[in-house]
Amino acid sequence: MTFLLHPSSGAQLPPLSLHSLGRTDIEWVPTLLIVVALVLYLWGVVRVRRLSPRHPWKTWRTLSFVGGLAVTFVSVELVVGAYDDVLFYDHMIQHLLLIMLAAGLFALGSPIYLCWRATTGRAHELVTKALRSAPARFFGNPLVAFLLYAVVIPIAHLTTFYNYTLENEQVHDLEHLLFLVVGYLFWRPVVGYEPGPKLHPAMRMVYLAAAVPVDTFTGLALASSRYEPFSYYFTIHRSWGPSLVADIHAGGVIMWVLGDTLMLLAMVPVAIYWLHYEERRAVRVDRELDAMLPANRGGPDLGELA
């Protein structure tokens, strides 16, 4: 069997197959961050339960946040993370898992709202002040979040920045964190649970639809490449798997097709919420009209005036 010498870690990687699904790439920094995030979140859940026993933290929010941490762990430290410096298409799967799935689950978990509810006294005042600060309002603006997503995705995959992340492991880790943060900011207006501007359901649909071309453009640019754009891959001398250009094409197709599919799937719950929103609005309007009718019942009948 032919093995690959991984330049960054010195570990020999076998060809990616079903037999290598159990391979890991455990690093202490990502592991520590994941564990700390889990402990702090669960501590916050316990605090909210003690402070507001009648209004405990929703279980589905906790499961969403824990699920986001699980997806992050799988994409960074299990088999996906083990081959992310070797195969471009694997790297693309990793990025989609982080920015589309894990970040979306974090947004559903509402960690900022949890922090606000779990604190008291001076700490609560500081959290409230931070949420009302100019930076918080700036990054909480849906337009800013959308622009960050629209800029980060192509720059991270179509410029020399991507090659630099492959050559520098610390920058690579920071890139993962960047995807999680930008993805979290992007999905917050769609989820709409945390403090900040709220989008009408129709605008949430427009917001998601406008993001589809970002993934499409990036994916098509990669899928149509006629050469290997990243010099790093020439240094690893991989003797198995797809050719360098075929690898780039596969990654582009994954970004294009899978990225667009995930974005379209996210529109389904938004469309359902929009439908329920309009139904509730119609019921509220009917009640308001019904409340106005008794005031006119004591007046003369129009038929009698004819």
Side-chain angles (χ1 to χ4, degrees):
M1 179 181 293
T2 303
F3 289 88
L4 171 70
L5 183 64
H6 195 297
S8 63
S9 64
Q12 289 185 325
L13 294 176
L16 180 59
S17 65
L18 292 177
H19 299 289
S20 55
L21 292 182
R23 196 166 192 89
T24 62
D25 184 29
I26 305 297
E27 298 181 6
W28 73 269
V29 173
T31 302
L32 179 63
L33 292 176
I34 291 173
V35 171
V36 169
L38 177 62
V39 171
L40 289 177
Y41 191 92
L42 295 180
W43 173 83
V45 172
V46 173
R47 282 276 299 175
V48 170
R49 185 174 300 173
R50 291 177 179 175
L51 295 173
S52 305
R54 294 185 178 181
H55 302 283
W57 191 249
K58 301 292 186 182
T59 301
W60 63 264
R61 289 183 178 177
T62 302
L63 293 177
S64 296
F65 190 86
V66 174
L69 292 177
V71 172
T72 302
F73 182 78
V74 169
S75 61
V76 173
E77 305 206 76
L78 296 189
V79 62
V80 178
Y83 285 85
D84 63 350
D85 289 339
V86 178
L87 294 168
F88 179 78
Y89 78 80
D90 177 83
H91 207 132
M92 193 62 69
I93 292 173
Q94 180 189 66
H95 288 183
L96 287 177
L97 286 174
L98 291 174
I99 202 167
M100 299 288 283
L101 189 54
L105 289 171
F106 287 145
L108 284 170
S110 309
I112 293 179
Y113 182 44
L114 175 64
C115 180
W116 184 79
R117 288 194 58 187
T119 52
T120 57
R122 179 58 177 167
H124 186 74
E125 294 177 3
L126 292 175
V127 172
T128 302
K129 184 178 180 180
L131 291 175
R132 294 174 178 173
S133 65
R137 292 197 302 270
F138 176 79
F139 288 106
N141 188 306
L143 180 59
V144 172
F146 179 86
L147 291 176
L148 284 174
Y149 181 87
V151 170
V152 167
I153 291 296
I155 287 181
H157 299 97
L158 301 178
T159 69
T160 55
F161 174 76
Y162 176 81
N163 201 75
Y164 185 59
T165 63
L166 294 173
E167 296 173 342
N168 191 303
E169 195 65 29
Q170 287 71 36
V171 176
H172 195 177
D173 290 339
L174 289 175
E175 181 197 39
H176 294 160
L177 185 60
L178 174 66
F179 283 152
L180 291 174
V181 172
V182 171
Y184 169 73
L185 293 175
F186 174 83
W187 290 109
R188 279 187 69 201
V190 178
V191 173
Y193 289 129
E194 292 200 310
K198 299 294 188 293
L199 292 177
H200 186 278
M203 290 305 301
R204 298 184 193 186
M205 293 290 288
V206 173
Y207 182 88
L208 291 173
V212 171
V214 177
D215 298 333
T216 302
F217 167 76
T218 305
L220 286 176
L222 293 166
S224 60
S225 178
R226 297 182 179 181
Y227 60 91
E228 171 57 67
F230 307 113
S231 60
Y232 170 87
Y233 288 113
F234 291 110
T235 67
I236 60 178
H237 307 295
R238 175 166 52 82
S239 59
W240 50 264
S243 66
L244 294 180
V245 175
D247 188 25
I248 291 294
H249 290 173
V253 171
I254 288 172
M255 167 60 77
W256 171 25
V257 177
L258 185 57
D260 288 357
T261 300
L262 291 173
M263 200 69 73
L264 292 173
L265 287 176
M267 294 182 185
V268 174
V270 173
I272 295 174
Y273 174 76
W274 187 7
L275 178 62
H276 291 168
Y277 175 88
E278 293 298 336
E279 289 177 348
R280 291 193 299 268
R281 183 173 178 272
V283 170
R284 185 170 61 253
V285 172
D286 289 341
R287 289 176 178 174
E288 292 175 355
L289 291 175
D290 290 340
M292 296 172 60
L293 290 178
N296 297 324
R297 288 176 181 172
D301 183 72
L302 295 180
E304 297 176 356
L305 296 177

